[in-house]
Amino acid sequence: MTTFAKPENALKRAEELINVGQKQNALQALHDLITSRRYRAWQKTLERIMFKYVELCVDMRRGRFAKDGLIQYRIVCQQVNVNSLEEVIKHFMHLSTEKAEQARSQAEALEEALDVDDLEADKRPEDLMLSYVSGEKGKDRSDRELVTPWFKFLWETYRTVLEILRNNSKLEALYAMTAHRAFQFCKQYKRTTEFRRLCEIIRNHLSNLNKYRDQRDRPDLSAPESLQLYLDTRFEQLKIATELELWQEAFRSVEDIHGLMCMVKKTPKSSLMVVYYAKLTEIFWISSSHLYHAYAWLKLFTLQKSFNKNLSQKDLQLIASSVVLAALSVPPYTHRRGSSHLELQNEKERNLRMANLIGFNLDPKVDGGEVLSRSNILSELVLKGVLSCATQEVKDLYHLLEHEFLPLDLASKIQPLLVKISKLGGKLSSASSVHEVQLSQYVPALEKLATLRLLQQVSRVYQTLKIESLSQMIPFFDFPVVEKISVDAVKHNFIAMKVDHIKGVVLFGNLGLESDGFQDHLTVFAGSLDKARTMIYPPVKKASKLGEMLPGLADLVDKEHKRLLARKSIIEKRKEEQELLLLEMERNAELKRRKQQQIAEEEEKKRLASEVEKRKNQMILEEIRDKELEQAKALLEDVGKQRKKKIKKSFLDGENVTKQAIMEMALSEQLRERQETEKKLLKLAKTMDHLERAKREEAAPLIEAAFQQRLVEEKVLHEREQQLEVELSRQHHDGDLKEKNRLARMLENKTIFQEKVVQRRQSEFDRLREDRDRQIQQMLQARRQERDAIRKKIFYVRTEEEKQRKLQEEEEARKREEAERQRKIEEERRAKLDEIAEKQRQRERELEEKERQRREALLGRSTDGPSRPSEPVGSHPSEPVATAPAAAAAAAATGAGAPPSAGKYVPRFRRPEVSAQAPPPEPDRWGSSRPDDRTSQPGDRWRSDDRRPSFGAGGGSKSTWSSSRVPPRGGGSAR
């Protein structure tokens, strides 16, 4: 990348390169300067550089370079001087347009010029061969070679400028002007494909403008000026689309205008709305939407009558006649009969869109056909006085078609009116938006309507009519055409008729009988007759059967009623399930269709992208090939100019000329020229050698004589300079001696002054050295004291830390000893407790054994029969013990004062006094006697009968002894 200290240097360098024919290097130098970050501050020099830059881009057709440069320049001058960017863009478009026009005029001039050698010959043989081989004429070739590249560059220029200015609020007028010029370019040269792309580009710009609302320099559509510019652009787009007959693009343009009006929620000027509705009438008429065409004409008539003060009576009459005829041209029946659900939904969406375009905001849930219909618009024409403004022929036609019943004379009365109406029309002078009105376009639709009305009226009068008579009654069409019209009318339930070609007659029916309600009238009639027969001759019923059925009749009726209700609910449920299934199937089908459509669109986009990429690569290859060919031709021409020999023009202009051939020819020419130059140089060198040798032979004696003379002159000069140097040295020596004698008398004073200065400086030096030694001693003393203090502090800290460490170690040792002592005490205590618990358990087992033996002895004495086997000794105390049947009696006798029997729990207050034969208590571990269970006091804590038995519910006593361990009297808890 070339760098420049100032932008002016880059401009000068570019001009120098242009002067020597290196435009590519000049363009690259300016491009490097513009894209550099060093020059981001706007100055006037940058504007001049941009003018030169766009000129080079246009000359070399470098659209990509131009776009990059303009984007960088927009960044530079967006906030400083945006008018400079506007001037540069205008200059860029002016140059591109001028080059395109120049190429077109040059192609026309080449076509008109006579470029033949023989005036008697029409064409050259090579031209004939080329035309037969290539299949194109001379004009096509000239357009492809000269005009097409420049037109492509001009189209690229428009796209570049629109892309740069799309989000710039300060250059909205320039954006609109560029769009208008691009529209005019498409209109002038019939570029339909480019027009579609241009409309799509502008549409995307507006959608992105609404999507990204936080941009810095975004245009504000709520401003009146911005809205007017955008609306003017869309209306110009609509006009060009209708002039190019791109009706689909025109409809999308109308939707864009309507969307823009809905977006800003502001109605444009009446002059623009007149253009809007005028174009809508054309679009709806082309799309055969006669109803919406009529409504658009009605809106247009209302606007012209309300806002156009210069509207003449004749123009108003023509517009009103157009409105009435447009309303009459609407078919008198709808096209919805027999359509599928999906078709009806699509038709409903389409009607909603078109109704919104003409200013009717319909509810999507309500059918639009109820609001917008032929009958409604005809009644509206009468109420608003549109019919009164129309011509007399139109009024008569309206009354004949809508209010008269003339089945035989209808066509004969309508035909002269249609002839007069077809001659009405012309240009409107006072309605600027509607240039011309021709009523003849409605004649075919009116003839079809007249045919339908005549068939409808004849069907009410006749049941059978000959085909010849019907053809004479309808002079507008032949009978096959009438048959097609009648088939469509019968399909949509407008009339009921059949054509019998074998008999040559037309059979008319009754729509009431042909309707869906009367398709099964025979079945209904048979059912009615059967009911009447049953009522006249009722069937004989036997009394016995009736008597048998009467008691259960109410139940039967109730059951039948319930069954019917259940059946009805089942049927309703099945209907709902069927409807849900159908809806689900339709939804799945719609999703599948959308998915397939999306896949197809993606494939189409990929295909288009690949085609565009392929076309772009092909264009780049062709451009590279053309560039290389031009360079090779230029090289060959340069070689020819150097040799002062002209290359054959036929060779350069040939179609099959390649870069390789031209390069080979140029190399051969250079080789030939180099060989000739070498021969000339050899001959010239030989001649110069001879001439130089002769010169040197003649000059040798002269050079020797001059050399000797020069030696003599230099010797004399040397001697003179030597004498002059000696004289000067002597004079300098004498002067120095005189100066020494003059200064010798001050030598003594100088010595005295020197000694004084040395002594003063020595004393000052000694004083400073003593001060320095004293300061050093003070610093050493201070540092020594500081070190002593630090050492003391360190010693004190270490001593304290050692004391703390020793105290901590002693404390930890004491804690460990204490813990060890506590652990030993705990272990001893636990051992004692375990020993006590073990003795307690042993004592309990002994007591349980004694109690068991005593109980067995008592039970053995009280039973008569053999006693049951006693419980094993080792059995668990919690298991129940079997008792004899007599235990129940003993238990019963307890309440009467009898002594308690063994094995049964007796409360303490009912227990008798301890007998003398009671065994003595066992001494415990500490030597004290432990009282027996029977002699224990109420307040005694350690009582063996705390293990209270549990009694069964069956009368027999089954005691269950608790296995809990009683804690010892010593106070510790047993483990």
Side-chain angles (χ1 to χ4, degrees):
M1 177 184 287
T2 308
T3 56
F4 299 96
K6 295 181 179 180
E8 294 86 351
N9 299 339
L11 186 59
K12 291 178 182 178
R13 178 61 178 166
E15 290 175 350
E16 292 172 359
L17 292 171
I18 292 170
N19 292 332
V20 297
Q22 297 183 6
K23 291 185 177 181
Q24 178 62 34
N25 295 335
L27 179 63
Q28 188 63 42
L30 293 180
H31 183 267
D32 294 342
L33 176 76
I34 293 168
T35 56
S36 176
R37 294 180 179 272
R38 295 177 58 186
Y39 311 103
R40 288 299 173 90
W42 185 87
Q43 47 186 322
K44 190 66 176 177
T45 309
L46 286 178
E47 184 176 349
R48 290 191 284 112
I49 290 172
M50 283 302 300
F51 278 120
K52 181 61 70 176
Y53 180 77
V54 296
E55 288 175 5
L56 287 173
C57 291
V58 173
D59 288 340
M60 302 176 68
R61 293 203 296 266
R62 297 299 178 85
R64 185 63 60 84
F65 274 83
K67 185 176 181 179
D68 293 343
L70 289 173
I71 290 174
Q72 295 296 327
Y73 191 63
R74 180 186 64 181
I75 297 172
V76 172
C77 63
Q78 175 69 34
Q79 305 298 332
V80 181
N81 188 4
V82 76
N83 294 326
S84 176
L85 177 62
E86 182 178 359
E87 294 298 326
V88 171
I89 290 176
K90 286 182 179 179
H91 184 62
F92 178 45
M93 288 196 296
H94 173 70
L95 290 176
S96 302
T97 309
E98 187 178 5
K99 286 288 184 180
E101 292 293 334
Q102 185 178 353
R104 189 171 64 85
S105 60
Q106 185 178 358
E108 293 176 356
L110 286 174
E111 182 65 23
E112 295 174 359
L114 293 173
D115 190 11
V116 294
D117 297 331
D118 188 1
L119 294 176
E120 295 180 0
D122 293 336
K123 287 186 177 181
R124 293 178 296 176
E126 53 269 24
D127 292 338
L128 288 172
M129 291 178 65
L130 185 61
S131 64
Y132 285 124
V133 171
S134 62
E136 60 182 0
K137 300 180 181 179
K139 183 177 185 304
D140 297 334
R141 287 196 299 275
S142 62
D143 289 345
R144 180 170 56 81
E145 294 175 358
L146 297 176
V147 181
T148 304
W150 282 111
F151 275 13
K152 287 182 179 178
F153 182 75
L154 181 58
W155 168 246
E156 189 178 357
T157 300
Y158 288 138
R159 290 192 60 174
T160 300
V161 174
L162 290 175
E163 188 68 24
I164 291 172
L165 302 177
R166 62 189 176 92
N167 290 332
N168 200 324
S169 59
K170 300 178 181 178
L171 295 176
E172 292 176 342
L174 183 59
Y175 179 85
M177 185 196 75
T178 306
H180 283 250
R181 292 181 66 174
F183 289 142
Q184 293 300 324
F185 166 79
C186 297
K187 174 187 173 183
Q188 183 179 359
Y189 301 109
K190 308 296 182 184
R191 307 304 304 176
T192 56
T193 306
E194 284 76 13
F195 180 77
R196 291 192 187 94
R197 290 175 183 167
L198 180 62
C199 295
E200 192 65 29
I201 288 169
I202 295 176
R203 197 172 293 117
N204 290 334
H205 288 175
L206 182 60
S207 63
N208 291 332
L209 191 66
N210 296 323
K211 188 184 296 182
Y212 307 107
R213 296 178 179 271
D214 55 347
Q215 293 180 350
R216 182 176 182 181
D217 298 317
R218 172 185 172 274
D220 187 11
L221 293 178
S222 60
E225 296 82 4
S226 302
L227 177 61
Q228 189 63 34
L229 287 173
Y230 274 88
L231 283 175
D232 291 342
T233 304
R234 296 307 186 281
F235 277 105
E236 183 69 19
Q237 173 183 334
L238 177 60
K239 291 178 183 178
I240 302 300
T242 53
E243 290 176 5
L244 292 176
E245 296 183 356
L246 299 173
W247 301 110
Q248 186 175 4
E249 199 60 45
F251 184 75
R252 295 185 69 185
S253 302
V254 169
E255 285 187 327
D256 293 342
I257 295 173
H258 183 263
L260 194 61
M261 290 190 294
C262 294
M263 190 186 304
V264 297
K265 297 180 180 179
K266 185 177 181 181
T267 305
K269 298 178 181 178
S270 58
S271 58
L272 294 179
M273 294 305 297
V274 167
V275 177
Y276 175 78
Y277 287 116
K279 298 302 179 183
L280 267 182
T281 57
E282 298 181 24
I283 295 169
F284 287 145
W285 181 255
I286 294 296
S287 63
S288 298
S289 301
H290 299 292
L291 179 62
Y292 298 101
H293 170 75
Y295 272 105
W297 262 118
L298 180 59
K299 290 281 186 179
L300 182 60
F301 173 81
T302 305
L303 284 172
Q304 289 284 0
K305 189 176 180 181
S306 301
F307 297 100
N308 194 353
K309 298 179 180 179
N310 300 324
L311 189 66
S312 62
Q313 186 64 29
K314 181 181 178 182
D315 294 344
L316 182 63
Q317 197 174 28
L318 278 177
I319 296 175
S321 301
S322 298
V323 176
V324 176
L325 293 179
L328 290 175
S329 300
V330 179
Y333 51 82
T334 60
H335 292 76
R336 299 185 180 184
R337 184 177 177 83
S339 300
S340 64
H341 177 71
L342 183 60
E343 292 176 353
L344 291 176
Q345 286 296 114
N346 294 336
E347 183 70 20
K348 186 176 180 181
E349 292 177 3
R350 178 174 174 271
N351 292 337
L352 283 175
R353 288 172 62 189
M354 291 193 290
N356 289 331
L357 292 179
I358 57 177
F360 289 93
N361 295 323
L362 300 180
D363 189 1
K365 299 180 181 178
V366 180
D367 190 2
E370 300 176 359
V371 181
L372 303 180
S373 62
R374 186 176 185 273
S375 58
N376 288 348
I377 191 173
L378 288 175
S379 60
E380 196 172 351
L381 294 181
V382 176
L383 291 174
K384 291 185 177 180
V386 180
L387 186 62
S388 61
C389 297
T391 59
Q392 188 61 38
E393 292 83 1
V394 175
K395 294 178 183 177
D396 296 340
L397 182 65
Y398 171 76
H399 286 289
L400 284 173
L401 290 174
E402 298 298 325
H403 300 291
E404 296 293 336
F405 185 80
L406 302 169
L408 300 179
D409 301 333
L410 182 63
S412 60
K413 290 185 177 182
I414 286 177
Q415 191 172 12
L417 295 176
L418 292 179
V419 173
K420 292 180 182 179
I421 288 172
S422 63
K423 296 178 182 179
L424 295 176
K427 295 184 178 180
L428 303 182
S429 58
S430 56
S432 58
S433 59
V434 186
H435 303 291
E436 187 177 3
V437 173
Q438 294 294 339
L439 302 182
S440 58
Q441 64 178 349
Y442 300 107
V443 171
L446 294 173
E447 290 177 348
K448 183 178 178 181
L449 177 64
T451 303
L452 290 172
R453 289 298 186 196
L454 192 143
L455 290 173
Q456 187 183 30
Q457 293 178 9
V458 168
S459 66
R460 296 177 183 175
V461 178
Y462 297 100
Q463 291 184 353
T464 306
L465 188 65
K466 290 185 178 181
I467 294 176
E468 293 83 3
S469 302
L470 186 62
S471 300
Q472 291 176 3
M473 292 169 63
I474 304 175
F476 309 120
F477 306 109
D478 296 333
F479 186 74
V481 180
V482 175
E483 190 174 5
K484 289 182 180 179
I485 295 172
S486 61
V487 167
D488 190 55
V490 170
K491 177 183 176 183
H492 295 95
N493 203 23
F494 183 69
I495 57 175
M497 61 176 289
K498 296 179 182 179
V499 180
D500 191 349
H501 287 281
I502 298 176
K503 296 180 180 180
V505 295
V506 178
L507 303 175
F508 295 101
N510 191 348
L511 282 175
L513 294 176
E514 296 293 335
S515 63
D516 296 337
F518 289 92
Q519 288 181 357
D520 53 351
H521 60 281
L522 290 177
T523 307
V524 176
F525 182 65
S528 301
L529 288 177
D530 186 49
K531 289 181 181 178
R533 184 184 62 80
T534 305
M535 293 174 65
I536 295 171
Y537 301 104
V540 179
K541 297 180 181 179
K542 295 181 179 181
S544 61
K545 290 185 178 180
L546 183 62
E548 292 176 357
M549 292 176 63
L550 283 176
L553 186 60
D555 297 335
L556 290 175
V557 170
D558 193 13
K559 289 180 181 178
E560 187 68 18
H561 181 64
K562 290 180 180 179
R563 189 181 65 82
L564 290 177
L565 290 177
R567 184 172 179 273
K568 184 178 180 181
S569 63
I570 291 171
I571 291 172
E572 292 294 331
K573 187 176 180 181
R574 288 180 180 175
K575 284 183 179 179
E576 291 177 358
E577 291 177 354
Q578 187 68 18
E579 290 176 358
L580 291 174
L581 183 61
L582 290 175
L583 289 175
E584 186 67 25
M585 290 173 64
E586 289 180 0
R587 192 180 298 111
N588 293 334
E590 181 67 17
L591 289 174
K592 187 176 180 181
R593 186 187 64 79
R594 289 182 181 177
K595 194 172 183 180
Q596 291 178 355
Q597 184 178 0
Q598 186 177 3
I599 293 171
E601 289 178 357
E602 290 178 357
E603 291 178 355
E604 184 67 18
K605 286 181 181 179
K606 289 180 181 178
R607 186 184 65 79
L608 291 175
S610 63
E611 288 182 359
V612 170
E613 189 68 24
K614 191 184 296 182
R615 198 178 301 115
K616 190 183 296 182
N617 294 334
Q618 188 176 0
M619 290 172 59
I620 292 171
L621 290 175
E622 289 179 358
E623 185 178 352
I624 293 172
R625 195 180 300 113
D626 294 342
K627 181 180 176 183
E628 291 178 351
L629 192 60
E630 289 177 1
Q631 291 177 356
K633 288 180 180 181
L635 177 62
L636 191 58
E637 289 177 0
D638 292 340
V639 172
K641 288 178 182 179
Q642 292 175 4
R643 296 190 61 205
K644 296 182 180 180
K645 181 180 178 181
K646 204 165 186 180
I647 307 300
K648 291 181 181 180
K649 187 176 181 182
S650 61
F651 178 77
L652 293 176
D653 296 337
E655 287 290 336
N656 297 325
V657 177
T658 60
K659 181 183 177 183
Q660 188 68 23
I662 295 175
M663 292 297 293
E664 289 178 359
M665 186 175 180
L667 289 174
S668 62
E669 291 292 333
Q670 289 180 356
L671 183 61
R672 192 181 299 110
E673 184 180 0
R674 192 181 298 113
Q675 290 175 356
E676 292 177 359
T677 305
E678 287 178 356
K679 289 179 181 179
K680 290 180 182 179
L681 288 175
L682 287 173
K683 187 176 180 181
L684 183 62
K686 191 179 292 184
T687 305
M688 292 298 293
D689 287 343
H690 289 291
L691 183 60
E692 188 67 25
R693 189 181 296 111
K695 286 180 180 179
R696 291 187 181 184
E697 288 178 355
E698 292 294 330
L702 298 176
I703 292 171
E704 185 66 27
F707 177 68
Q708 294 297 331
Q709 185 178 357
R710 181 70 178 273
L711 286 177
V712 174
E713 290 176 355
E714 286 182 353
K715 185 177 181 181
V716 174
L717 181 62
H718 176 68
E719 291 176 354
R720 189 185 306 118
E721 289 179 355
Q722 191 71 21
Q723 292 176 2
L724 183 61
E725 185 69 25
V726 171
E727 289 294 331
L728 287 173
S729 298
R730 188 177 290 110
Q731 290 176 5
H732 284 304
H733 180 68
D734 294 340
D736 291 340
L737 288 175
K738 289 179 182 179
E739 186 69 19
K740 180 182 178 183
N741 295 328
R742 186 176 68 84
L743 295 175
R745 53 193 180 88
M746 293 188 290
L747 182 61
E748 194 172 337
N749 294 330
K750 174 251 181 188
T751 304
I752 296 170
F753 178 73
Q754 183 178 0
E755 289 177 355
K756 288 181 180 179
V757 170
V758 170
Q759 289 177 0
R760 187 175 68 252
R761 290 182 178 177
Q762 184 65 34
S763 62
E764 184 69 21
F765 174 75
D766 295 338
R767 185 180 61 79
L768 291 174
R769 185 170 58 182
E770 289 176 358
D771 293 342
R772 187 192 64 181
D773 293 340
R774 187 169 57 256
Q775 290 177 358
I776 289 172
Q777 291 297 327
Q778 292 177 356
M779 290 173 63
L780 291 174
Q781 185 66 24
R783 289 181 181 178
R784 192 178 296 111
Q785 293 176 357
E786 185 177 356
R787 283 197 300 271
D788 294 341
I790 291 171
R791 288 193 188 99
K792 289 179 180 179
K793 288 181 181 179
I794 292 172
F795 177 75
Y796 177 75
V797 170
R798 287 178 180 176
T799 305
E800 291 296 324
E801 288 178 353
E802 186 67 23
K803 288 181 181 179
Q804 292 292 333
R805 186 177 59 80
K806 288 181 179 180
L807 291 174
Q808 188 173 2
E809 289 177 355
E810 291 175 357
E811 181 67 21
E812 289 177 355
R814 186 183 62 77
K815 287 182 179 180
R816 282 196 299 271
E817 291 176 356
E818 183 68 20
E820 186 68 21
R821 187 175 61 80
Q822 290 291 338
R823 185 179 61 80
K824 289 180 180 180
I825 293 172
E826 184 68 21
E827 289 178 355
E828 291 177 357
R829 188 178 64 83
R830 288 179 181 176
K832 289 179 181 179
L833 291 176
D834 291 342
E835 185 179 356
I836 292 170
E838 185 63 28
K839 289 181 179 181
Q840 184 68 21
R841 286 194 295 271
Q842 184 66 26
R843 189 180 302 113
E844 288 175 356
R845 283 195 296 270
E846 291 175 356
L847 291 174
E848 289 173 0
E849 182 66 21
K850 289 179 180 180
E851 183 67 22
R852 185 180 62 80
Q853 291 176 1
R854 185 176 61 83
R855 188 169 59 251
E856 286 178 356
L858 291 174
L859 289 173
R861 286 194 301 269
S862 61
T863 55
D864 297 333
S867 64
R868 295 184 181 181
S870 61
E871 183 184 359
V873 177
S875 63
H876 199 275
S878 63
E879 295 179 0
V881 180
T883 59
T894 307
S901 63
K904 181 180 179 181
Y905 173 75
V906 179
R908 184 177 301 165
F909 63 89
R910 288 191 177 186
R911 293 175 188 173
E913 293 296 328
V914 181
S915 61
Q917 289 80 13
E922 293 182 2
D924 59 2
R925 180 180 177 183
W926 295 273
S928 61
S929 62
R930 183 172 179 268
D932 190 68
D933 293 340
R934 293 173 300 216
T935 59
S936 61
Q937 297 300 322
D940 195 355
R941 180 179 178 185
W942 307 110
R943 189 171 64 248
S944 60
D945 59 356
D946 285 341
R947 301 185 301 276
R948 297 170 183 173
S950 61
F951 299 94
S957 64
K958 293 184 179 180
S959 60
T960 303
W961 298 92
S962 173
S963 61
S964 60
R965 300 294 182 259
V966 180
R969 195 182 296 268
S973 61
R975 292 184 61 183

